[in-house]
Amino acid sequence: MKLSKTKWLLATGLVFGLFSLIACDNSKTGTSDKVTIEYFNQKKEMSQVIQDIAKDFEAENPKIHVDVIDVPNAGEVIKTRVLAGDVPDVINLYPQSIELREWAQAGYLEDLTNEPYLENIKNDYAKRFAVNDKVYSLPLTANVYGFYYNKTAFDQMNLSAPKTWSDFQNLTATIEKQGKVPFAIAGAEGWTLNGYHQLALATVAGGGKEANDIWRFSKVNGISADAPNMKNDFNRLELLRQSGAMQQNWQGAGYNDTVVTFTKGDALIMPNGSWAMPMINSQNPDFEVATFPFPADKEGKSLTIGAGDLALSISATSDHKKEARQFIKYMTTPKAMQKYYDVDGSPCAVKGVIEHNTDSPLSGLTELAFTDRHLVWLAKDWNSENDFYTLTTNYLHNGNKKMMVDALNAFFNPMKADGK
């Protein structure tokens, strides 16, 4: 019996479709020759470097393909995906984040505590982010927060980086007297001042734990504007509020705007983290900058703050845990992370990576990396952060101490039922 052309095409299409379904099913179950693992990236500015490293890995592991996923609003997208049960094989999660702690406790993330490649990480850094004494995140780099300054202008004006808080006050006064603007501030993106405010209290209180004892773990409504530590905290914030201390229209300036202001020389100091360095270079590669940490009252007590920046976790429900572990193991090698460090410049936690600490613009901050003067973000012990950004920028707008203390109490009171 002869088939009509239409029926023959239909039959051929069904067969082809059947083989396509089988092929798709094989790719999911791992029976095909090549396995694809999904890498969810949150380091947008480093996307190209991560893709290059993934290609290097694939060259050594031809049966594994790494699909690097970049999406807008990555932080919100990953929350949606995890809650939907669609967890990527490898995720770039910030290890101090609330999400990592909650997702680890809920069983979404793989326990990495006994993985041999943890030995490749300096000073047991991964254990600083342990959840119930178990490691769920592998921090490969750390960010550090402090102050960038225009080194060329500082040299021309015979200025130097401050070593104490009084030095810092004198420095900003001198800059203003010489007709320059001290600070470039992103008033429209309060997260950029998160480090400033946390370090302000930490340098006053004597450390991160001490700062959280004042804010996070004090009694309900226990934060008072009359307390000595809070008075000193206000003093640190007032440095930014002085007339002429910030660029014009700082209230509406975003992160990008602030970097442009700084690299154009319209303001000489920018509080920000190490993550800003690639953007500074892209705006003006010839711009000579340097950094210094947040000064304390006494010399030698300055602090920086940060956490794991490029930090990787594995989905507990991944069908390709073996391949995901193989990729993460590769990421703990000097070969992989040297390529990353040479562009990013943030302190690297991987042993064997050659860091250019002495001549790096970030050396003023990175010299404190992985020491007791490199605090982990205080929000590691908080349940949220966004309202903290808002109350900080609100104070810069209005200078109302009562309003800020009320906002701090309203922010921290709900957390205090959890205790320490």
Side-chain angles (χ1 to χ4, degrees), residues 4-150:
S4 69
K5 184 176 180 181
T6 302
K7 289 181 179 179
W8 183 85
L9 288 171
L10 179 59
T12 304
L14 288 170
V15 171
F16 178 78
L18 179 61
F19 276 114
S20 297
L21 287 172
I22 293 170
C24 288
D25 187 62
N26 283 345
S27 70
K28 288 181 180 179
T29 57
T31 57
S32 63
D33 287 340
K34 181 173 273 193
V35 167
T36 294
I37 59 173
E38 186 181 7
Y39 175 103
F40 189 91
N41 178 42
Q42 294 203 65
K43 296 289 296 173
K44 187 73 175 176
E45 71 277 12
M46 294 298 291
S47 179
Q48 186 57 56
V49 175
I50 292 168
Q51 291 183 47
D52 291 343
I53 294 172
K55 288 177 183 176
D56 294 341
F57 169 78
E58 291 171 349
E60 295 185 16
N61 300 270
K63 291 189 176 182
I64 306 174
H65 170 63
V66 181
D67 187 12
V68 178
I69 303 298
D70 277 308
V71 294
N73 300 317
E76 294 304 314
V77 171
I78 191 59
K79 292 176 189 177
T80 302
R81 288 192 56 176
V82 170
L83 292 175
D86 180 25
V87 188
D89 301 292
V90 178
I91 321 167
N92 170 205
L93 284 178
Y94 300 115
Q96 84 287 358
S97 68
I98 303 151
E99 289 79 21
L100 183 125
R101 184 168 69 247
E102 291 179 347
W103 295 345
Q105 292 172 335
Y108 290 117
L109 304 178
E110 190 75 354
D111 181 1
L112 306 177
T113 308
N114 297 317
E115 292 298 316
Y117 44 72
L118 261 67
E119 295 296 324
N120 298 341
I121 304 300
K122 295 176 183 175
N123 299 331
D124 291 327
Y125 190 56
K127 293 180 181 178
R128 293 185 67 177
F129 305 100
V131 178
N132 297 329
D133 297 323
K134 292 183 179 180
V135 173
Y136 295 92
S137 174
L138 196 70
L140 303 173
T141 66
N143 50 48
V144 283
Y145 186 103
F147 299 93
Y148 291 88
Y149 65 95
N150 184 326

